Amino acid sequence: MEKQEQHTIPASGGGSGCGGRVSLRPLQLSDVDDFMVWASDPDVAQLCRWEHYTSRNDALAYVAGTVLPHPYFRAICVDGRPVGQVSVTRNEAGLEACRGELGYALALGYWGRGIMTDAVRMAVAEVFGGRPELERVEAIVDVENKASQRVLEKAGFTREGVLRKYAVVKGKTRDVVVFSRLSTDDHS
């Protein structure tokens, strides 16, 4: 998982097509202006656990202190330019060592083009290939985030169920849907 290589595939497109190639690579400090495009957008952050960024300096501090040391945090790039992010947690605790949690965000201008589905597929293949002890990648999605649920279904995740009143997001207790992908699932 410490590999720094870039993985690329043609975007599958969601009808409109993105007209570029989707790739994943480590997010770097020099990407902060691109990072701000999606991370400062209240529409992107609306159903996410994090608040949108309002300061470039806060974004730089986040990238330096959280992203760079993270074991799997990648920029989603279209034709080499970062347009989003995807991450998988690394759980060290005994009971959780077999699973990681998937998180992602994409700049609003790239929604609905199949980019996130491609990025999720690539990220899951990469983490399963790089961490043999990892047997499960899960995603926890707000019940109102239908687009994210479709991304996961298209990427081969299984919808496991709804957890009621599971998390407080931006001051409101929310229901979430749990999705999973196992290392033994068909990856075709």
Side-chain angles (χ1 to χ4, degrees):
M1 295 249 310
E2 303 304 320
K3 295 188 289 186
Q4 298 296 305
E5 62 188 73
Q6 184 167 318
H7 297 273
T8 306
I9 64 172
S12 61
S16 61
C18 73
R21 296 185 69 75
V22 177
S23 61
L24 303 180
R25 67 164 172 76
L27 191 75
Q28 303 162 355
L29 280 173
S30 59
D31 296 323
V32 72
D33 291 326
D34 290 319
F35 175 83
M36 285 295 289
V37 171
W38 69 85
S40 67
D41 187 334
D43 290 330
V44 173
Q46 179 182 10
L47 295 174
C48 295
R49 296 179 200 166
W50 44 272
E51 295 291 338
H52 69 281
Y53 284 82
T54 58
S55 156
R56 186 177 189 275
N57 287 339
D58 288 346
L60 277 169
Y62 174 74
V63 172
T66 301
V67 172
L68 295 180
H70 195 286
Y72 193 86
F73 195 110
R74 299 293 186 264
I76 301 167
C77 300
V78 173
D79 292 332
R81 182 175 182 189
V83 298
Q85 67 191 50
V86 61
S87 64
V88 178
T89 59
R90 182 176 188 164
N91 295 312
E92 301 291 342
L95 293 174
E96 298 179 355
C98 65
R99 64 183 169 88
E101 186 176 337
L102 177 73
Y104 49 81
L106 187 67
L108 186 62
Y110 292 88
W111 289 6
R113 299 180 184 190
I115 295 166
M116 187 55 72
T117 300
D118 289 343
V120 166
R121 286 180 183 138
M122 286 188 287
V124 169
E126 211 172 284
V127 296
F128 280 147
R131 286 192 55 206
E133 77 283 6
L134 190 69
E135 297 178 61
R136 172 188 173 95
V137 172
E138 61 189 21
I140 298 171
V141 181
D142 192 286
V143 294
E144 293 181 18
N145 195 339
K146 302 298 184 191
S148 189
Q149 293 175 46
R150 282 192 305 275
V151 163
L152 294 165
E153 289 165 350
K154 289 179 184 178
F157 278 67
T158 299
R159 179 186 172 113
E160 294 185 336
V162 173
L163 299 175
R164 299 179 307 149
K165 303 293 184 192
Y166 183 78
V168 177
V169 178
K170 298 179 175 77
K172 183 178 177 188
T173 306
R174 310 290 302 183
D175 294 348
V176 298
V177 183
V178 178
F179 288 85
S180 71
R181 182 87 192 252
L182 304 181
S183 60
T184 54
D185 287 346
D186 180 19
H187 294 280
S188 55

PDB file of all heavy atoms in Angstrom, residues 18-30:
ATOM      1  N   CYS A  18     -16.919  11.639 -19.338  1.00  0.00           N
ATOM      2  CA  CYS A  18     -16.114  12.746 -18.826  1.00  0.00           C
ATOM      3  C   CYS A  18     -15.063  13.169 -19.823  1.00  0.00           C
ATOM      4  O   CYS A  18     -14.424  14.182 -19.646  1.00  0.00           O
ATOM      5  CB  CYS A  18     -15.479  12.382 -17.485  1.00  0.00           C
ATOM      6  SG  CYS A  18     -14.126  11.219 -17.604  1.00  0.00           S
ATOM      7  N   GLY A  19     -14.878  12.387 -20.898  1.00  0.00           N
ATOM      8  CA  GLY A  19     -13.931  12.773 -21.921  1.00  0.00           C
ATOM      9  C   GLY A  19     -12.488  12.680 -21.474  1.00  0.00           C
ATOM     10  O   GLY A  19     -11.626  13.299 -22.063  1.00  0.00           O
ATOM     11  N   GLY A  20     -12.180  11.911 -20.424  1.00  0.00           N
ATOM     12  CA  GLY A  20     -10.810  11.800 -19.960  1.00  0.00           C
ATOM     13  C   GLY A  20     -10.552  10.469 -19.306  1.00  0.00           C
ATOM     14  O   GLY A  20     -11.409   9.599 -19.264  1.00  0.00           O
ATOM     15  N   ARG A  21      -9.332  10.341 -18.797  1.00  0.00           N
ATOM     16  CA  ARG A  21      -8.926   9.121 -18.125  1.00  0.00           C
ATOM     17  C   ARG A  21      -8.932   9.372 -16.621  1.00  0.00           C
ATOM     18  O   ARG A  21      -8.454  10.392 -16.159  1.00  0.00           O
ATOM     19  CB  ARG A  21      -7.560   8.684 -18.607  1.00  0.00           C
ATOM     20  CG  ARG A  21      -7.577   8.323 -20.108  1.00  0.00           C
ATOM     21  CD  ARG A  21      -6.279   7.780 -20.607  1.00  0.00           C
ATOM     22  NE  ARG A  21      -5.923   6.473 -20.112  1.00  0.00           N
ATOM     23  CZ  ARG A  21      -6.466   5.315 -20.497  1.00  0.00           C
ATOM     24  NH1 ARG A  21      -7.434   5.316 -21.376  1.00  0.00           N
ATOM     25  NH2 ARG A  21      -6.047   4.175 -20.005  1.00  0.00           N
ATOM     26  N   VAL A  22      -9.461   8.415 -15.887  1.00  0.00           N
ATOM     27  CA  VAL A  22      -9.524   8.503 -14.439  1.00  0.00           C
ATOM     28  C   VAL A  22      -8.312   7.772 -13.865  1.00  0.00           C
ATOM     29  O   VAL A  22      -8.004   6.658 -14.287  1.00  0.00           O
ATOM     30  CB  VAL A  22     -10.827   7.871 -13.897  1.00  0.00           C
ATOM     31  CG1 VAL A  22     -10.851   7.897 -12.374  1.00  0.00           C
ATOM     32  CG2 VAL A  22     -12.040   8.598 -14.471  1.00  0.00           C
ATOM     33  N   SER A  23      -7.650   8.425 -12.922  1.00  0.00           N
ATOM     34  CA  SER A  23      -6.505   7.806 -12.259  1.00  0.00           C
ATOM     35  C   SER A  23      -6.514   8.176 -10.788  1.00  0.00           C
ATOM     36  O   SER A  23      -7.161   9.138 -10.374  1.00  0.00           O
ATOM     37  CB  SER A  23      -5.187   8.242 -12.918  1.00  0.00           C
ATOM     38  OG  SER A  23      -5.027   9.648 -12.827  1.00  0.00           O
ATOM     39  N   LEU A  24      -5.798   7.384 -10.016  1.00  0.00           N
ATOM     40  CA  LEU A  24      -5.614   7.634  -8.586  1.00  0.00           C
ATOM     41  C   LEU A  24      -4.132   7.816  -8.325  1.00  0.00           C
ATOM     42  O   LEU A  24      -3.301   7.104  -8.889  1.00  0.00           O
ATOM     43  CB  LEU A  24      -6.117   6.454  -7.758  1.00  0.00           C
ATOM     44  CG  LEU A  24      -7.565   6.033  -7.931  1.00  0.00           C
ATOM     45  CD1 LEU A  24      -7.865   4.831  -7.025  1.00  0.00           C
ATOM     46  CD2 LEU A  24      -8.516   7.169  -7.631  1.00  0.00           C
ATOM     47  N   ARG A  25      -3.821   8.766  -7.466  1.00  0.00           N
ATOM     48  CA  ARG A  25      -2.441   8.972  -7.023  1.00  0.00           C
ATOM     49  C   ARG A  25      -2.483   9.639  -5.657  1.00  0.00           C
ATOM     50  O   ARG A  25      -3.503  10.231  -5.271  1.00  0.00           O
ATOM     51  CB  ARG A  25      -1.653   9.807  -8.020  1.00  0.00           C
ATOM     52  CG  ARG A  25      -2.129  11.244  -8.136  1.00  0.00           C
ATOM     53  CD  ARG A  25      -1.073  12.104  -8.820  1.00  0.00           C
ATOM     54  NE  ARG A  25      -1.524  13.435  -9.116  1.00  0.00           N
ATOM     55  CZ  ARG A  25      -1.647  14.419  -8.220  1.00  0.00           C
ATOM     56  NH1 ARG A  25      -1.380  14.215  -6.948  1.00  0.00           N
ATOM     57  NH2 ARG A  25      -2.059  15.626  -8.595  1.00  0.00           N
ATOM     58  N   PRO A  26      -1.395   9.566  -4.898  1.00  0.00           N
ATOM     59  CA  PRO A  26      -1.383  10.249  -3.599  1.00  0.00           C
ATOM     60  C   PRO A  26      -1.638  11.751  -3.771  1.00  0.00           C
ATOM     61  O   PRO A  26      -1.113  12.372  -4.697  1.00  0.00           O
ATOM     62  CB  PRO A  26       0.025   9.985  -3.067  1.00  0.00           C
ATOM     63  CG  PRO A  26       0.448   8.720  -3.745  1.00  0.00           C
ATOM     64  CD  PRO A  26      -0.165   8.793  -5.119  1.00  0.00           C
ATOM     65  N   LEU A  27      -2.475  12.304  -2.902  1.00  0.00           N
ATOM     66  CA  LEU A  27      -2.715  13.742  -2.884  1.00  0.00           C
ATOM     67  C   LEU A  27      -1.488  14.413  -2.284  1.00  0.00           C
ATOM     68  O   LEU A  27      -0.913  13.916  -1.313  1.00  0.00           O
ATOM     69  CB  LEU A  27      -3.963  14.060  -2.050  1.00  0.00           C
ATOM     70  CG  LEU A  27      -4.496  15.476  -2.145  1.00  0.00           C
ATOM     71  CD1 LEU A  27      -5.204  15.682  -3.485  1.00  0.00           C
ATOM     72  CD2 LEU A  27      -5.466  15.768  -1.017  1.00  0.00           C
ATOM     73  N   GLN A  28      -1.076  15.530  -2.856  1.00  0.00           N
ATOM     74  CA  GLN A  28       0.130  16.225  -2.429  1.00  0.00           C
ATOM     75  C   GLN A  28      -0.210  17.643  -1.974  1.00  0.00           C
ATOM     76  O   GLN A  28      -1.257  18.172  -2.327  1.00  0.00           O
ATOM     77  CB  GLN A  28       1.125  16.260  -3.591  1.00  0.00           C
ATOM     78  CG  GLN A  28       1.464  14.889  -4.110  1.00  0.00           C
ATOM     79  CD  GLN A  28       2.096  14.919  -5.505  1.00  0.00           C
ATOM     80  OE1 GLN A  28       2.204  15.963  -6.136  1.00  0.00           O
ATOM     81  NE2 GLN A  28       2.500  13.758  -5.973  1.00  0.00           N
ATOM     82  N   LEU A  29       0.704  18.256  -1.225  1.00  0.00           N
ATOM     83  CA  LEU A  29       0.499  19.642  -0.798  1.00  0.00           C
ATOM     84  C   LEU A  29       0.297  20.572  -1.990  1.00  0.00           C
ATOM     85  O   LEU A  29      -0.494  21.511  -1.917  1.00  0.00           O
ATOM     86  CB  LEU A  29       1.688  20.127   0.035  1.00  0.00           C
ATOM     87  CG  LEU A  29       1.714  19.690   1.493  1.00  0.00           C
ATOM     88  CD1 LEU A  29       3.026  20.103   2.155  1.00  0.00           C
ATOM     89  CD2 LEU A  29       0.525  20.256   2.252  1.00  0.00           C
ATOM     90  N   SER A  30       0.974  20.295  -3.080  1.00  0.00           N
ATOM     91  CA  SER A  30       0.851  21.148  -4.267  1.00  0.00           C
ATOM     92  C   SER A  30      -0.541  21.055  -4.909  1.00  0.00           C
ATOM     93  O   SER A  30      -0.873  21.859  -5.779  1.00  0.00           O
ATOM     94  CB  SER A  30       1.921  20.783  -5.298  1.00  0.00           C
ATOM     95  OG  SER A  30       1.801  19.424  -5.674  1.00  0.00           O
TER      96      SER A  30
END
